[in-house]
Amino acid sequence: MLAGLRLVSAALAALALSFAIAPGTAVHIRNNASPVTVPFARRVNATGIAKLLEVDRARAKSFKTGTRAAATPFQQNAAADVPVTNQAVDYVMTVTVGNPGKNFSLLIDTGSSNTWAGSRPTENPFVPLLGSASLPMNLVAVEYGSGSVMGIEVTDTLTFPSGLVIQKQSMGAALVSTGFTAVDGIIGFGPVGLTCGTLILGSSCIPTVTDNAFSEGSIPERMVGFSFAPTSTLDNTNGELTIGGVDDSKFTGPLNFVPITSTAPASQFVGIDQSITFGSPTGQTILPMTAGITDTGTTLLLIASDAFATYQSLTGGVLDPATGLLTITPDQFANLQSVFFNIGENSFEFTPNAQIWPRALNTAIGGTPGNIYLVINDVGTPTGSGLDFIDGMTFLERFYYVFDSGNNRVGLAETQLTRAEIN
Ligand SMILES: *[C@@H]1O[C@H](CO)[C@@H](O)[C@H](O)[C@H]1NC(C)=O
Ligand SMILES: *[C@@H]1O[C@H](CO)[C@@H](O)[C@H](O)[C@H]1NC(C)=O
């Protein structure tokens, strides 16, 4: 019986050959295809001191240095000199792989585009059947800054909780991974270009789950909409992902689209142009109009070092050594003003309450109960890097967020919780 055979030796044999996976690009006529909505959860790891800022910065660094496609198996961390740490905050969804299937808890990531499972070989192994290996066989390797994976690329069926089935998804079965022991792997919702070069042999790209759901005729558009309400509890399944469209019930204001930025390297990601002002849309400039990215895999809101210095002086915050975050006094918080994210023709208000880390979760990030920590921090390079900010989940939780990969644009809308007092 070949079924159940681990593919390691076959994969090593594949290294001797030279070929590539043909991307599945056939587009079928869609009959009655409609968007599919799937729940997802936020989990905060409250054990130990979570290096929230360290993980986010490591990720930012790998975005900028372009080390995501690891050229050499087993040496993924050579280029990015960063510690490997578990994510402190995970946004995860359950996906069934195979038929009959096995459930995996996958990190939802718009900052990367490969999908893979098997990071916890003891707790929840992903043992693909020999027949599921992509032919010709290939290895995949991806560097995430704060972690990495190397595995065999296989083709399998993905089933989402709401019944959406992707018959043929090319995905990784991890052989070695670092930094992802709290999840089983990643489901990549970023642009397909980020997969190009992640296969060891050949230079082809790997169609994403969004691409495949569309090309198999299961969704009407290559679009994903994210709704996640801010919350101050540790684990919370109040997120909702809509594959193939948007969920109108999750936003209040108009959905405003802007094109993906043309400035590299942000242009390779779900990148946009924005400026940030203090107090009003025409108030003091914190960040001049520049390129950066939106990213569900980053927790904080990181901005260029010079912009961060301006923000620090406007808030009066001091750097807290334990968390790396700015901390402000209750008086300073009482006087804190909104910051405005000016994106396209629109200005998105980010209230004082939105700017602080949920106080109930201070200890989860190594903070002191009762302190007030700001979620805006330093991306580590000055303005002009081509990736001057990362609008991470602390930002995205306040707005409805859409990545329309079919039309290369990003949508944002206000929600009922944009100005809510939650943190
Ligand atoms: C996978 O999880 C879903 C709920 O998300 C559940 O209904 C299903 O039975 C699970 N399947 C397996 C194979 O465990
Ligand atoms: C939480 O993080 C600690 C390290 O800070 C790690 O040892 C532990 O395994 C993590 N727990 C989970 C469930 O990821």
Side-chain angles (χ1 to χ4, degrees), residues 58-320:
R59 194 173 161 84
K61 186 174 172 185
S62 79
F63 286 154
K64 285 191 265 196
T65 53
T67 54
R68 65 192 171 274
T72 317
F74 305 107
Q75 291 183 359
Q76 289 92 30
N77 272 315
D81 178 23
V82 291
V84 170
T85 324
N86 265 317
Q87 302 272 112
V89 186
D90 292 328
Y91 293 85
V92 294
M93 68 191 296
T94 301
V95 178
T96 313
V97 180
N99 189 12
K102 183 159 190 190
N103 280 349
F104 292 100
S105 183
L106 303 182
L107 193 75
I108 295 168
D109 194 8
T110 58
S112 72
S113 309
N114 291 76
T115 293
W116 59 273
S119 60
R120 295 187 294 183
T122 315
E123 296 94 326
N124 196 16
F126 178 28
V127 184
L129 304 184
L130 187 58
S132 74
S134 306
L135 291 175
M137 201 173 289
N138 209 336
L139 294 181
V140 62
V142 191
E143 165 62 44
Y144 298 92
S146 58
S148 63
V149 63
M150 200 282 293
I152 303 161
E153 193 72 5
V154 301
T155 300
D156 221 325
T157 303
L158 289 190
T159 306
F160 292 85
S162 314
L164 171 69
V165 178
I166 299 175
Q167 297 294 349
K168 288 191 173 171
Q169 179 63 45
S170 178
M171 63 181 290
L175 295 172
V176 186
S177 69
T178 55
F180 297 102
T181 54
V183 292
D184 292 312
I186 295 182
I187 182 159
F189 286 105
V192 67
L194 292 175
T195 66
C196 309
T198 58
L199 291 171
I200 301 293
L201 303 173
S203 57
S204 18
C205 312
I206 305 166
T208 65
V209 287
T210 313
D211 291 338
N212 285 322
F214 180 76
S215 62
E216 290 180 8
S218 304
I219 56 170
E221 290 182 86
R222 286 195 290 146
M223 182 185 280
V224 185
F226 298 85
S227 161
F228 200 89
T231 166
S232 57
T233 60
L234 278 183
D235 294 347
N236 202 323
T237 309
N238 69 5
E240 184 197 277
L241 177 73
T242 299
I243 305 175
V246 300
D247 180 348
D248 300 342
S249 72
K250 294 290 179 185
F251 50 95
T252 51
L255 183 56
N256 298 297
F257 282 97
V258 289
I260 295 289
T261 181
S262 57
T263 306
S267 52
Q268 296 162 31
F269 298 86
V270 188
I272 57 172
D273 294 313
Q274 77 180 15
S275 71
I276 303 176
T277 51
F278 193 73
S280 79
T282 54
Q284 181 171 348
T285 298
I286 293 173
L287 181 76
M289 187 57 77
T290 191
I293 67 168
T294 55
D295 178 25
T296 61
T298 296
T299 306
L300 297 169
L301 220 170
L302 302 180
I303 59 176
S305 304
D306 44 320
F308 178 65
T310 304
Y311 179 70
Q312 181 172 5
S313 72
L314 287 167
T315 58
V318 293
L319 274 177
D320 167 61

Side-chain angles (χ1 to χ4, degrees), residues 45 47-49 86 182:
N45 181 351
T47 65
I49 295 174
N86 265 317

